[in-house]
Amino acid sequence: MKKTYIKDMTVGNPTGLLLTFMLPMLLGNVFQQFYNMVDSMIVGQVVGADALAAVGATGSLNFLFFSLCGGMSNGTGVVISQHFGAGNHDNVRKAIANAAYIMLVVGTIMGGLGVILSRPVLIFLNTPDNILNDAVLYMRIMCAGVLAVALYNCISAILRAVGDSKTPLYFLIMSSILNIFLDLLFVKTFGMGVAGAGIATIISQFLSGIGSLMFAFWKNPFFKIEKNLRKPDLDIIWQCTRMGVPLAFQTSLIAISCVALQSVVNTFGSVVIAAFTATSRIEQLVQQPYNSLGMAMSTYTGQNIGAGKIDRVRQGYRKALMIMAAFSLVMIPLFRIGGELIMKLFVSEEEVISFGAHALKITSWFYLFLGSIYVTRGLLNGAGDAVFAFANGIVEMLGRICFAKPLTLIPKVGVWGVWLATALTWMVAGMFNVSRYLQGKWKKEK
């Protein structure tokens, strides 16, 4: 085994393991979000606020169509991490081979549906007429390239499952830098507008996926798969599907709730849509440490569950909560004080800046709940708690749907209800996740 690309998390100090595993993912995720921010800055500053609103209006829908691919990738990762922890290396290789078959089918179906349904769905969601055509064009380009996104996500999930969080980082950095260069080339130099931004994203994701796959074949011993292990294996496919489908539903239901929230945002016009798009990008950046820690917790839990080390899982969870709390206590005052300055990075319109800065003050109070969602979800998903994965998606979906519209109808709340709905959903989902952990049913899953 080439130990540089394999990490056994069933031994060693949990705090050190979680931190060293999450930091490369955090750096990679920050690079990716940095690209997303730069992408929004380029579109907003070069093309205008309407173009930024058009891109933002498709965000939740793109997330929805990508979610099934992402869920299946993460489900495969859970299966691989548990087999790795149990020492079943042949099954690890079988799962890697069968992941290719799963992602090819799922990616083709979801990409095709996204291209076909983009216009009717955007119209159904009350997308303003002045941004509709750009929004449809951007969404069709993104969905046409869903296989490129799925390729990178699948390889990354597999590598993380066997303890390698560094290789995905290298290729994510490459992708982000290339993305920015292509954005400037297509959007600013060639004047291709939102289409240029979409094409730049797909090209960079595809090259990153191909590069990480080639590197994995070269360096990671689990990708050297004997011919007899490459055949479709119904038992392995069922294991991956059993975990992947609930995770996909979890993400899909969250995405549906974001789509529902976006439909409420769209009724307030392009200024609010632009502000919501900018604050969403900022919040995505805030979530990256939580997301990275949650993914580290998922791999840590999967390997230790596979090895039968329940007490180590509990110990790791406590350490992860402490790391999460420390980060939250730093970020809350930062975003409350510097919200206006951060908004100015995205747009120059004073009205949009004012909306966004005030919105950040509302949501920042709830970052501790947001962090607890990621850490606890990582543990429960890593343990293979498929029932939780589905239930968690329902809770977040109902939260955004039930909070958003009613809150905006309250006279003293109004438009701020769309951001308050997000914050309250974090609180409810965070409490639900922790209660599920305390019930202890995850200890029986494998």
Side-chain angles (χ1 to χ4, degrees):
M1 292 282 178
K2 298 182 179 179
K3 296 296 183 183
T4 306
Y5 304 99
I6 304 293
K7 184 65 176 178
D8 186 351
M9 301 182 77
T10 64
V11 293
N13 181 272
T15 302
L17 287 169
L18 289 169
L19 285 173
T20 56
F21 192 81
M22 73 165 281
L23 287 176
M25 289 190 294
L26 174 57
L27 185 56
N29 287 337
V30 168
F31 260 88
Q32 187 174 43
Q33 295 308 315
F34 173 69
Y35 154 70
N36 288 334
M37 292 174 68
V38 172
D39 178 57
S40 296
M41 292 175 201
I42 292 171
V43 172
Q45 298 287 357
V46 175
V47 190
D50 280 357
L52 177 62
V55 172
T58 69
S60 298
L61 280 173
N62 288 332
F63 178 42
L64 174 59
F65 284 102
F66 292 165
S67 62
L68 186 56
C69 297
M72 294 305 295
S73 295
N74 292 332
T76 300
V78 170
V79 172
I80 290 173
S81 67
Q82 292 192 2
H83 281 305
F84 177 81
N88 299 325
H89 292 172
D90 278 352
N91 281 347
V92 171
R93 291 183 173 88
K94 285 182 183 179
I96 292 173
N98 282 269
Y101 310 136
I102 295 170
M103 296 312 300
L104 182 61
V105 173
V106 173
T108 301
I109 293 173
M110 296 312 296
L113 286 174
V115 171
I116 294 168
L117 298 176
S118 55
R119 181 174 289 274
V121 173
L122 284 167
I123 291 173
F124 176 75
L125 294 175
N126 303 313
T127 305
D129 291 339
N130 62 314
I131 64 172
L132 177 61
N133 287 336
D134 275 348
V136 171
L137 177 60
Y138 184 79
M139 182 175 169
R140 282 178 174 167
I141 291 171
M142 294 298 292
C143 288
V146 70
L147 274 174
V149 179
L151 173 62
Y152 172 77
N153 288 339
C154 186
I155 298 301
S156 297
I158 292 169
L159 293 175
R160 287 195 302 268
V162 296
D164 180 8
S165 61
K166 293 180 181 178
T167 299
L169 163 67
Y170 304 144
F171 288 95
L172 193 54
I173 291 175
M174 179 199 79
S175 173
S176 299
I177 294 172
L178 179 61
N179 232 323
I180 293 170
F181 170 77
L182 292 177
D183 263 337
L184 291 170
L185 180 66
F186 293 156
V187 178
K188 187 173 183 180
T189 304
F190 294 162
M192 294 174 65
V194 297
I199 293 170
T201 298
I202 296 306
I203 291 175
S204 58
Q205 286 281 327
F206 175 73
L207 293 177
S208 179
I210 290 294
S212 58
L213 179 61
M214 293 173 63
F215 191 85
F217 275 121
W218 178 35
K219 290 290 187 179
N220 193 297
F222 286 112
F223 279 78
K224 293 173 173 56
I225 306 172
E226 294 84 354
K227 188 174 181 180
N228 65 304
L229 300 178
R230 297 177 202 161
K231 294 185 263 185
D233 186 306
L234 294 181
D235 184 49
I236 292 291
I237 290 175
W238 165 244
Q239 290 176 28
C240 295
T241 303
R242 177 188 169 278
M243 194 61 228
V245 169
L247 286 178
F249 270 109
Q250 179 187 66
T251 311
S252 298
L253 291 172
I254 293 170
I256 289 170
S257 72
C258 292
V259 170
L261 182 60
Q262 185 72 55
S263 70
V264 176
V265 174
N266 291 348
T267 63
F268 289 98
S270 59
V271 170
V272 174
I273 295 173
F276 186 77
T277 300
T279 57
S280 295
R281 297 290 198 213
I282 293 166
E283 285 169 358
Q284 286 170 8
L285 185 61
V286 173
Q287 292 178 41
Q288 293 320 301
Y290 302 141
N291 185 32
S292 301
L293 185 58
M295 288 192 292
M297 194 66 213
S298 180
T299 299
Y300 175 90
T301 302
Q303 290 192 13
N304 281 283
I305 285 283
K309 298 183 177 181
I310 301 297
D311 287 340
R312 269 184 67 83
V313 176
R314 290 199 196 94
Q315 185 183 9
Y317 180 62
R318 291 193 295 268
K319 300 296 184 182
L321 287 177
M322 292 172 62
I323 296 170
M324 177 276 294
F327 175 79
S328 300
L329 294 176
V330 171
M331 297 305 294
I332 291 171
L334 177 63
F335 279 84
R336 288 189 60 77
I337 296 170
E340 186 170 329
L341 182 61
I342 296 170
M343 282 296 300
K344 287 181 179 179
L345 296 173
F346 291 87
V347 288
S348 55
E349 289 89 341
E350 288 298 326
E351 189 176 6
V352 177
I353 293 170
S354 177
F355 265 107
H358 186 71
L360 290 173
K361 291 181 180 179
I362 294 173
T363 56
S364 61
W365 286 118
F366 295 80
Y367 286 167
L368 278 168
F369 292 108
L370 176 63
S372 69
I373 291 174
Y374 279 100
V375 173
T376 313
R377 182 194 294 163
L379 184 152
L380 296 171
N381 287 345
D385 189 347
V387 174
F388 157 77
F390 186 75
N392 173 247
I394 292 176
V395 169
E396 291 207 34
M397 179 184 70
L398 291 177
R400 289 187 178 88
I401 291 175
C402 294
F403 285 134
K405 190 63 177 179
L407 286 172
T408 60
L409 297 176
I410 300 174
K412 291 187 179 181
V413 178
V415 67
W416 308 115
V418 297
W419 285 281
L420 186 58
T422 296
L424 291 176
T425 299
W426 293 345
M427 182 178 72
V428 172
M431 294 169 65
F432 170 78
N433 288 8
V434 173
S435 68
R436 178 71 179 183
Y437 165 80
L438 293 174
Q439 289 173 14
K441 295 181 180 180
W442 57 271
K443 290 180 285 187
K444 301 176 183 178
E445 299 288 347
K446 189 174 179 181

